[in-house]
Amino acid sequence: MVTGAPATMRERREELTPMLAQYVDVAERYDDCVVLFRVGDFYKAFCEAADEVARVCELTRIEREDSTGTYTACGVPVDNAPKYLRRLLDAEYRVAVADQVEDAEEASGLVDRAVTQVLTPGTVVEEELLSEGSNTYVGCVATAVGDTGDGSGGGTDGDDAAYGVAYVDVSTGECAVTAGDAAAVDEELARIAPAELLVGPAVPSEVVDAADCMRTERDPEEFAPDAAADTLAAYADPERFAAAERVACGALLAYAEYTQGDDGPLEYVRRVRRYDPRRSLRLDATALRGLELFENPVGSGRTLFDTIDETRSALGRRRLRAWLRRPLVDADRIRERHDAVAAFAERTLVREDVREALSAAYDLERLVGRVSRGRATARDLRSLHDTLAAVPEVRAALEGIDALADLRGALDPLDDVRERIDEAVVPDPPQEITDGGVIRAGYDADLDEVRSTAREGREWIAELEARERERTGIENLEVGYTQVHGYYIEVTNGQLEKVPDDYTRRQTLKNSERFYTPELKRREDEILGADERADALEYELFAGLRDEVADESDRIGELAGAIARVDALAALATVAVERDYVRPEMVDRDGGRDRDSDDLHLKRSRHPVVEETESEFVPNDAALPRGTVAVITGPNMSGKSTYMRQVALCVVLAQAGSFVPADSARLPVVDRVFTRVGASDDIAGGESTFMREMRELTDVLHDATGDSLVLLDEVGRGTATTDGRAIARAAVEFLHDEVGATTLFATHYHELTDLADEYDRVVNRHFAATEREGDVTFLHRVREGAASSSYGVEVADLAGVPESVVARAHDLVAAERDGDRSADDAGGRDGDDDGDDDGDTTEAIPQRTLEEVAENGHSEPSAAGRDRREASPDPSQATPGPEPEEAVAAVLAELRDLSLAETTPLEALNRLHDLQRRAEAVEEGSPGGEEP
Ligand code: ADP
């Protein structure tokens, strides 16, 4: 990544033209940035920096030649700059924009240029560069090493509060901070999802490893406790915060100030909120990903948020996102939200009116930021006016609805602010204040006077032509104006003798002469003076008004919050009505004293996202007394993981304030949702699937409580059967005995279903499939008890595995069942039904067969195996000779011996591909068994 001044230019600095030397100077000062240098209608980069900009922005480079030699340049068109700036930011560049800070026409030599904006992924405030429905945060993780303060604010987490985590949205001024241990940092970073992260000096890199965003280096001095506390003091009383919080927040705000031009504290950061992550439903990175709340890189790509986002404004959209990111854990507050959603859900007209009015709502949070930065335009203020004008409508709609009375009260239409703007600013002002015509007539007497002077002057000139034609008798005399020469009276050459004495020559053209008179000159000066004065006055008045509005930023901020809540609630109500969601009854936790009261009950619940795409979604019930471990079995693709997720999503939705997709719901308040679901394989990361799985399991077993909801899918799948099964069993026992968390445990280890006999809170559920004439149909319906078969082979058949392989697998399963039966008869039990056993059932005949093949490397099946084949009525099995069979056995043996624990997902895919190719070859009758 090339930033700062290109090395080749630095080396030749003495030879460079003055402009390029200026570029190098600027670029050296901003050596962590790509510098875009304004030249004419382009922002340019040169040499290596040009290569970089050209590559990222997909622009062409041009070879330039001047007295000093050739070099490359790349230009970003100024008119289209936001598009290219966005690309640079997405590629994690900091961009310094150097503008001309002097009028090119007035400059005596080289135009002076200076950096006017530093753009970074986490601190952009330009509207065109921000996504409207989500926040852009810059975050900071720091420690308070060396702090001598007493930290009397008290860490959120007492002694564990080693790290402060702060974040700020520079465009809206939202700023918050918390503290906690390394695990808390990880979890918070996943929730905040910053676009950019500052990391304090003493923070070990593994603490922030998981955050997938740009890192920004800052001077370690800014993380010094005293310096940080000083910065923070401009925003909040530093004593309110724990030591680590002070450092993280102070250093972060110092950086935010720097990116906004270092004009001191950011006025629109009105409040630094200190929060405790435990006061919301905790969702770590694995849970956020596993439940696909905001991201779904596979499948349909639709997320829970996409599905419920029926908001009408950017304010509401960001609020709903925040609610889903941090659902509540206080039953009363949850019920309050449900009350409000219910109130909207019951009243179609109110809901429609409110949503209609809100679709015109402007992004007041970002407006407040722009107003305080002195960047708000006349159009911004007018949009603020229009938004305020819509507030009474919303208030009126909410009139008389008890559940919405508080909300209605918070909707202050700010009549005074609205009237002030309306008095001052014309309804449709130009974009730039310098274009003039922003302030209304009648608003300011001085402005009116200068405008009338200018107008009268122009009227006098407008009538001048007629007057002078009459006075001089020159019929074709014309009055005109040019930028350079001003007003003139033009007389053609043939009429020159009629020109009166008071005309002074101004300009000679080919066929005519141009003149002025003393009166015309006087009027002209008057008009120009008045125009200039009017512009200055307009600017002054506008800036005054903007300051007045800035003084109201607290009230505007509060109104923005109220609008955001109304929009988010009305959106949830819309979802509830349109998709048949039901209000969940929230059960108060009583710590498990009365177990029944803590039951999680869902009647005919659905998966909110899958039901949108699946034409016939089958609803399912869930009844889970507190601390129940439900062992869920059933074939692949039968709906186990969908079911588990839908239970968790109902919990998350309910605690976020939403109704839930079910016919009825009774839900306890959950403190955390843990997941280890689906194939959350870190394909890019290359970490073995099994290692990751075990890490996730570790987190669950360590941190889950009796109030948690735990989803575990296929624990132990990534390793050899014996180990995997043992781990799965031990995990269930631990969750049952030690943790007491309500758990959904999907497994292909059928043997685990006998845990229900041993433990009183372990129950079996299964997903059934019907099998008719060898075809499998999934019912997607959860049932009591354990599944009878894993249908693995049928699924393989459905998936198109070659017939002979399927037939052989059927044989092996049948033989193994027989083997099991004899083993059972002998008093043992090992009902492995997944066909990939690793040798712990030595009595099983097919097992032997495989071992023979694997160890002896030849194809002769055991006598027993051959007998079974021959007895098979399946015609496809009548033909295969020993050759294909050898290939089949080799494929199976290789599969069996594959050490999943040491295989990355990518390797696994490659191996699978190879096996599949060989299996196809078997079917075609030419077993190409060459090893990779
Ligand atoms: P498993 O975890 O048992 O392998 P999944 O939960 O991934 O199965 O479900 C497999 C597919 O079946 C899903 O992609 C979904 O499209 C469909 N499915 C799951 N549950 C249902 C349901 N209740 N109704 C209809 N289709 C479902």
Side-chain angles (χ1 to χ4, degrees), residues 864-926:
R866 201 164 33 220
D867 289 350
R868 273 195 311 283
R869 277 203 162 291
E870 279 153 12
S872 168
D874 189 330
S876 70
Q877 293 177 356
T879 36
E883 253 204 319
E885 190 156 325
E886 174 181 3
V888 168
V891 166
L892 289 174
E894 194 171 318
L895 256 181
R896 191 201 65 188
D897 292 338
L898 195 60
S899 169
L900 292 177
E902 286 149 26
T903 310
T904 68
L906 208 54
E907 282 165 13
L909 273 181
N910 286 331
R911 293 292 286 272
L912 267 179
H913 175 79
D914 176 59
L915 289 171
Q916 194 176 46
R917 193 180 50 73
R918 283 160 54 190
E920 278 164 11
V922 173
E923 194 179 24
E924 285 157 14
S926 60

Side-chain angles (χ1 to χ4, degrees), residues 4 148 193 333 378 393 438 474 530 544 579 581 605 628 632 824 860:
T148 47
R333 288 187 62 201
E393 247 173 273
V438 163
I474 306 173
R579 322 239 178 97
Y581 286 15
S605 73
T628 301
I632 305 171
D824 279 351
E860 269 314 292

Side-chain angles (χ1 to χ4, degrees), residues 234-295:
Y235 299 86
D237 176 6
E239 292 303 313
R240 273 180 47 223
F241 301 89
E245 291 174 335
R246 273 201 292 272
V247 173
C249 204
L252 178 64
L253 287 165
Y255 176 63
E257 290 171 13
Y258 155 77
T259 62
Q260 300 311 305
D262 252 339
D263 296 330
L266 306 174
E267 281 166 46
Y268 56 98
V269 177
R270 294 185 306 280
R271 195 160 80 95
V272 177
R273 195 166 53 85
R274 184 162 178 255
Y275 71 98
D276 179 351
R278 287 169 305 186
R279 306 252 309 264
S280 55
L281 169 60
R282 292 173 65 184
L283 299 161
D284 61 13
T286 316
L288 288 170
R289 208 173 39 229
L291 296 175
E292 292 160 0
L293 296 190
F294 300 103
E295 273 170 57

Side-chain angles (χ1 to χ4, degrees), residues 43-80:
Y43 286 118
K44 296 215 161 170
F46 301 102
C47 294
E48 296 95 304
D51 298 343
E52 201 96 338
V53 171
R55 182 178 56 78
V56 176
C57 298
E58 294 176 16
L59 288 166
T60 39
R61 295 173 314 157
I62 34 170
E63 288 289 324
R64 294 282 300 272
E65 188 163 2
D66 62 21
S67 53
T68 65
T70 57
Y71 56 91
T72 47
C74 176
V76 170
V78 171
D79 286 345
N80 229 344

